[in-house]
Amino acid sequence: MGTKAVLLYTNNEQDRSSSVFTRIKPHYGYSLVEYFLKYCLFVCNLLFTALGLVVLGLGMWGLITKESFAQEKIGSIGTDPMLILVSLGLVLTTLCLSGCVGAIRENYCLLKLFSTMVLVLVTAQILAAILAYSLQDQVGNYLRSGMLAAMARYQDDLDLRFITDEIQSNLQCCGADNYHDWEINIYYNCSAPGVLACGVPATCCVDPLENGTVWNSQCGVGAQQLDEFTAQSVIFLGGCLGGISRWIEQHEGLIGTVSIVVMGVQILTLFISTRLMESILWNYRSNCNNNIIKLMKIYLIYKNTPGNE
C-alpha cells in the first residue's frame, strides 16, 4: 500500500514536472503604483502617437498638395515649412509608439529604446539651449537668412507667405531688418514691371483696412521709394528680427515656465519608463529563481524515488 502511494505521488510530480518543462510562463507581480505608472505611460504615449500621426499626415498632405516633390520644386523643398511638420510627426510617432507598445506589452527592449530616445531628446534640448544662448549672433544670422529666403519666395509658397504675414502683422514690423529688405523679392524689386514694384506687402501697412472695413492690398505700393519720415505714417519701419527679440524679452518668463514644464514632463516620463524596466527585470529574475527551485524539488523527488538512485 505504501509503495503504491509513493508511486502515485511520484507520477503526479512527474506530470507536474513535464508541464513545467513544456510551458514556463512568467508571472509578474506589480504593486498598485506600478500599475498606475504603466497605464499612465501607455495612455500618454497613445495620445501623443495619435497627435504625431495627425501632424505627419498634415505635413505629407501639404507637400503633396503643393506638389513639392515635382522636379522643378524639389530643389527648394528644404525651405518648405511642411517638411518641419513631417519631421516632427515622424519623430513624435516613432518615439511615442515605442513607449506605448512597450508599456502595455511590458516589453523591456521597447521601453529601453523609448527611454534612450527621451534621454537623447532631453540632452539635445539642453545643448541647443546652451548653444543658442552662447551663439546669439550666429542664431540671429540664421534667422535673418531664413526670413530673407521666405521673403524671396513670398508669392511662390502659400505657407511661407502665411508665416511672413503673421509675423509682420502681429509684431508690427516689415522685412528682416527694415522695409527695404523687400527689394529681394522679384515682384517687389524696384526694377520689376508691374504695380508691386518698389512696394511692400499689405501686412507691412500701419492701417491696411480702407475705411476701417475693406482690406487694401495696395496700401504698400511704392513704399520703398519713400524716406523714413514719410514712410512711418504708411508702413512699419522696424524689421521683424528686432520685433522677435523684443517679443522674447517681454515673454521670457512665460517661455522659461513652459520650457521647464516640458522638460519636467520628459524627465518624469524617463523616470516612469526606468521604473517599469526595473520592475520587469525584477519580476523576470524572481520568476526564473522560482522555476529553478521547482525544478530542483522535482529532481530531488525523482532521485529519492525507489529504483532511481
Side-chain angles (χ1 to χ4, degrees):
M1 183 71 179
T3 305
K4 291 182 179 179
V6 171
L7 289 174
L8 182 61
Y9 178 78
T10 304
N11 290 333
N12 290 336
E13 288 298 329
Q14 288 176 345
D15 291 339
R16 273 183 254 170
S17 67
S18 63
S19 66
V20 171
F21 280 112
T22 54
R23 56 178 187 85
I24 298 178
K25 295 184 178 179
H27 177 71
Y28 297 147
Y30 293 108
S31 65
L32 290 177
V33 174
E34 289 168 338
Y35 270 115
F36 173 77
L37 294 178
K38 170 185 173 180
Y39 286 104
C40 180
L41 185 64
F42 167 72
V43 172
C44 291
N45 278 286
L46 181 63
L47 294 176
F48 278 101
T49 299
L51 177 62
L53 290 173
V54 171
V55 173
L56 179 61
L58 286 175
M60 291 301 299
W61 173 80
L63 290 176
I64 295 172
T65 302
K66 296 189 300 181
E67 299 180 348
S68 299
F69 297 107
Q71 187 174 0
E72 63 274 9
K73 295 183 179 180
I74 195 70
S76 59
I77 195 173
T79 59
D80 197 318
M82 288 300 171
L83 193 62
I84 299 177
L85 290 182
V86 171
S87 302
L88 180 62
L90 188 61
V91 171
L92 191 61
T93 301
T94 304
L95 175 66
C96 296
L97 187 61
S98 63
C100 179
V101 177
I104 196 64
R105 297 294 300 172
E106 299 172 5
N107 189 296
Y108 182 85
C109 294
L110 285 177
L111 286 175
K112 185 70 174 178
L113 174 64
F114 172 73
S115 60
T116 301
M117 290 168 57
V118 172
L119 182 60
V120 170
L121 186 62
V122 170
T123 305
Q125 291 173 353
I126 294 175
L127 290 177
I130 295 173
L131 289 175
Y133 182 79
S134 58
L135 302 174
Q136 296 183 30
D137 293 338
Q138 287 84 341
V139 173
N141 292 333
Y142 177 77
L143 290 176
R144 180 179 289 103
S145 300
M147 187 157 191
L148 289 175
M151 291 165 61
R153 299 181 57 205
Y154 182 76
Q155 273 85 5
D156 302 326
D157 193 310
L158 294 178
D159 294 321
L160 292 177
R161 180 172 184 168
F162 173 78
I163 294 173
T164 303
D165 285 341
E166 286 296 307
I167 292 175
Q168 290 190 148
S169 59
N170 290 320
L171 297 181
Q172 298 184 349
C173 57
C174 188
D177 295 307
N178 55 62
Y179 62 98
H180 289 293
D181 291 333
W182 280 102
E183 181 80 12
I184 196 174
N185 186 279
I186 59 174
Y187 299 98
Y188 291 111
N189 190 285
C190 291
S191 61
V195 69
L196 297 179
C198 259
V200 294
T203 50
C204 285
C205 296
V206 175
D207 186 15
L209 297 178
E210 188 175 352
N211 299 324
T213 55
V214 182
W215 181 264
N216 182 13
S217 60
Q218 305 296 321
C219 62
V221 172
Q224 292 186 52
Q225 295 176 326
L226 303 176
D227 59 83
E228 291 189 359
F229 181 78
T230 307
Q232 66 181 348
S233 61
V234 181
I235 61 174
F236 302 116
L237 299 182
C240 292
L241 292 178
I244 293 174
S245 298
R246 288 190 297 272
W247 186 89
I248 293 175
E249 291 176 357
Q250 294 170 359
H251 299 85
E252 58 183 8
L254 177 62
I255 295 173
T257 302
V258 172
S259 301
I260 292 173
V261 170
V262 171
M263 187 65 66
V265 170
Q266 294 176 82
I267 293 174
L268 180 62
T269 302
L270 187 61
F271 166 76
I272 293 175
S273 59
T274 304
R275 176 71 180 270
L276 286 178
M277 285 191 296
E278 291 176 351
S279 299
I280 291 173
L281 280 180
W282 186 87
N283 280 284
Y284 176 77
R285 290 168 180 167
S286 176
N287 182 75
C288 288
N289 292 335
N290 291 335
N291 286 330
I292 291 173
I293 293 174
K294 290 179 181 178
L295 292 175
M296 290 298 295
K297 288 181 178 179
I298 293 170
Y299 176 76
L300 291 176
I301 292 172
Y302 176 78
K303 290 294 290 183
N304 293 330
T305 301
N308 291 328
E309 290 84 352

